[in-house]
Amino acid sequence: MRRFADSIADHADELGRLETANMGMPIGSSTWCANAAADVIHYFAGAIDKHTGSTIPVAGGVDMTFHEPLGVVGLITPWNFPVLMASWKIGPALATGNTAVMKPAEITPLTTMRLGELALEAGIPEGVLSVVVGTGNEVGWRFVEHPDVRKVAFTGSTAVGKRIMAGCADQVKRVTLELGGKSANIVFADSDIEKAAATAPYGVFDNAGQDCCARSRILVEAGVYDRFLSLLEPAVQGVKVRNPAEDDAEMGPLISAKQREVVSSYVEGDGVDVAFRGVVPGGSGFWYPPTVVLPTSTQDRVWREEVFGPVVSVLPFTDEADAIAKANDSEYGLSGSIWTRDLGRALRVSRGVEAGNLSVNSHSSVRYSTPFGGFKQSGIGRELGPDALAAFTETKNVFYSHD
Ligand code: NAD
């Protein structure tokens, strides 16, 4: 695994270019993702000898626990962060002694196939990590149905995740799900409003908003709502939407014509109030501008559903309790941000918001060494960090008699 991780880092530029060509992610982000994938594999290589069992005091002997591999695990990833999502699953699956069969999304298979080659070249034995490409219904569903596959680790949409969970129930198959999100970015009046507004676009428009952690609901304390919007406008217009192969591109096009239709249906289709927009280049590409909309209420479709594109909704709130209530008024609970200078409030709101990954005065809540996963319909189980290993093992308890 160490050699595999080193090889990914050595090939980070190649993997980055491949990812950008395949899915349109800006080259800076895709190269960052490839290097981050190497870090993930290194982290789990280092975790192998730290996932220890325990001895438990009992009468008449010794009691000990072992964390045993599940066997064959099926790993299914989405198209929005192919190489990174692959590493999140491959790392803990192999570190705990399983063999893995991985299926990337059918429209973005290239970097995962390359990872499979690099694993073989690094000395991971043939059959320990297999990459199989194809559609979800054909290849992915086989993982659900086949009795030799003992667990499915899935990242993708909530709708497909529910089907997989129901399918796995038939064999009581282990399942972890990383699903959709509609995360809140809560801005209190006492925060550094300039910084909150300047960074808000990057909390939602990263990867053209095709990010499960996108902070796509901005909640602003009523007293600073107008000021926040006036600061947000130049920040949104300053997002560098470019050919993703250009080094300074901050946002590229959407992945497909279909995705652009979906995104557009939330704005043009529903005739929502567009406050302002960023600029996109002309020419080919499924461009959609960074867009800020003002819903009429928390019942609007654009406020409630995951758009998975560069669209952010802004609503005011009255006080701390209202902010928490509005943030939690969602079937999702993946991520979110809280902007305040009040330490007590930061802690109270962090504890009050029902989401798995929060950041205070920042939009950075994902690290390979810390657990990642969703509350409510954003998922089940945790990836990354020390918690990930438990999801790929069974605990066996053995009593060893003194007699
Ligand atoms: P998707 O659910 O359409 O597809 C995800 C994967 O599942 C693909 O590989 C697909 O081929 C496969 N699949 C589809 N139908 C299947 C079936 N019946 N059986 C088995 N596998 C099947 O999702 P997508 O459009 O590729 O990705 C976007 C979604 O992923 C968004 O909702 C996003 O929020 C979510 N996502 C979540 C996280 C997270 O960590 N929580 C991360 C990235 C993306």
Side-chain angles (χ1 to χ4, degrees):
M1 283 185 74
R2 290 283 186 201
R3 284 205 300 276
F4 180 34
D6 284 340
S7 173
I8 296 171
D10 290 344
H11 291 82
D13 289 342
E14 177 200 331
L15 287 163
R17 281 194 302 275
L18 204 54
E19 196 91 298
T20 292
N22 198 181
M23 70 84 53
M25 184 187 293
I27 188 71
S29 303
S30 55
T31 308
W32 182 91
C33 283
N35 279 304
D39 289 342
V40 171
I41 302 297
H42 265 306
Y43 174 81
F44 286 107
I48 290 171
D49 53 5
K50 295 167 192 75
H51 192 218
T52 54
S54 51
T55 57
I56 300 169
V58 291
V62 176
D63 194 279
M64 49 200 154
T65 64
F66 300 90
H67 299 301
E68 299 198 342
L70 299 170
V72 180
V73 295
L75 315 177
I76 303 175
T77 49
W79 48 256
N80 59 338
F81 286 97
V83 83
L84 191 61
M85 295 295 104
S87 72
W88 289 17
K89 296 189 181 344
I90 293 169
L94 299 192
T96 45
N98 301 284
T99 56
V101 188
M102 161 146 265
K103 192 205 91 63
E106 48 271 46
I107 53 173
T108 56
L110 300 184
T111 46
T112 309
M113 289 163 69
R114 188 72 184 110
L115 277 188
E117 290 173 353
L118 295 178
L120 276 179
E121 285 164 24
I124 292 185
E126 196 162 351
V128 170
L129 171 64
S130 308
V131 177
V132 186
V133 296
T135 65
N137 281 334
E138 284 167 301
V139 180
W141 193 251
R142 190 88 178 118
F143 297 174
V144 175
E145 288 183 328
H146 199 292
D148 287 352
V149 176
R150 307 298 289 276
K151 177 208 165 94
V152 176
F154 171 84
T155 298
S157 61
T158 297
V160 174
K162 286 178 186 175
R163 285 182 58 201
I164 287 181
M165 191 173 180
C168 285
D170 202 39
Q171 296 168 26
V172 197
K173 190 170 287 193
R174 276 57 182 145
V175 61
T176 43
L177 304 173
E178 298 288 356
L179 309 175
K182 190 74 191 177
S183 299
N185 176 8
I186 308 173
V187 181
F188 285 96
D190 68 10
S191 67
D192 181 341
I193 303 287
E194 282 74 18
K195 193 170 173 196
T199 58
Y202 300 96
V204 60
F205 300 143
D206 185 42
N207 209 18
Q210 302 163 124
D211 182 340
C212 53
C213 288
R215 276 74 165 161
S216 54
R217 293 183 297 151
I218 304 183
L219 283 160
V220 187
E221 195 163 350
V224 292
Y225 178 77
D226 290 338
R227 183 155 160 251
F228 180 85
L229 280 179
S230 69
L231 291 165
L232 184 63
E233 185 166 4
V236 168
Q237 281 157 358
V239 175
K240 295 178 189 138
V241 186
R242 304 271 155 85
N243 174 345
E246 288 177 20
D247 283 341
D248 66 344
E250 292 177 330
M251 193 185 119
L254 291 167
I255 180 117
S256 62
K258 185 176 152 220
Q259 190 63 16
R260 186 165 63 177
E261 263 172 46
V262 171
V263 172
S264 165
S265 79
Y266 282 95
V267 182
E268 284 75 18
D270 277 5
V272 304
D273 181 7
V274 174
F276 42 84
R277 294 187 125 139
V279 276
V280 289
S284 64
F286 308 114
W287 300 106
Y288 196 85
T291 299
V292 178
V293 303
L294 306 176
T296 53
S297 82
T298 56
Q299 296 314 304
D300 288 15
R301 185 168 158 257
V302 71
W303 180 263
R304 303 204 74 81
E305 294 183 17
E306 184 181 45
V307 176
F308 227 54
V311 178
V312 67
S313 307
V314 191
L315 273 181
F317 65 85
T318 51
D319 57 15
E320 200 175 301
D322 187 39
I324 294 173
K326 284 202 166 89
N328 289 343
D329 181 15
S330 169
E331 67 192 25
Y332 295 114
L334 189 57
S335 200
S337 305
I338 297 139
W339 291 81
T340 176
R341 287 192 174 101
D342 179 329
L343 299 183
R345 164 175 285 161
L347 267 178
R348 283 193 302 276
V349 178
S350 303
R351 298 305 300 272
V353 172
E354 296 162 350
N357 316 275
L358 296 169
S359 48
V360 175
N361 297 329
S362 146
H363 297 300
S364 154
S365 56
V366 183
R367 285 173 185 74
Y368 59 78
S369 55
T370 58
F372 178 85
F375 280 30
K376 303 194 277 188
Q377 292 193 33
S378 286
I380 284 193
R382 292 294 177 271
E383 296 192 312
L384 302 178
D387 302 43
L389 303 169
F392 283 94
T393 49
E394 293 284 12
T395 300
K396 180 178 282 177
N397 189 66
V398 177
F399 170 71
Y400 198 101
S401 170
H402 279 159
D403 295 333

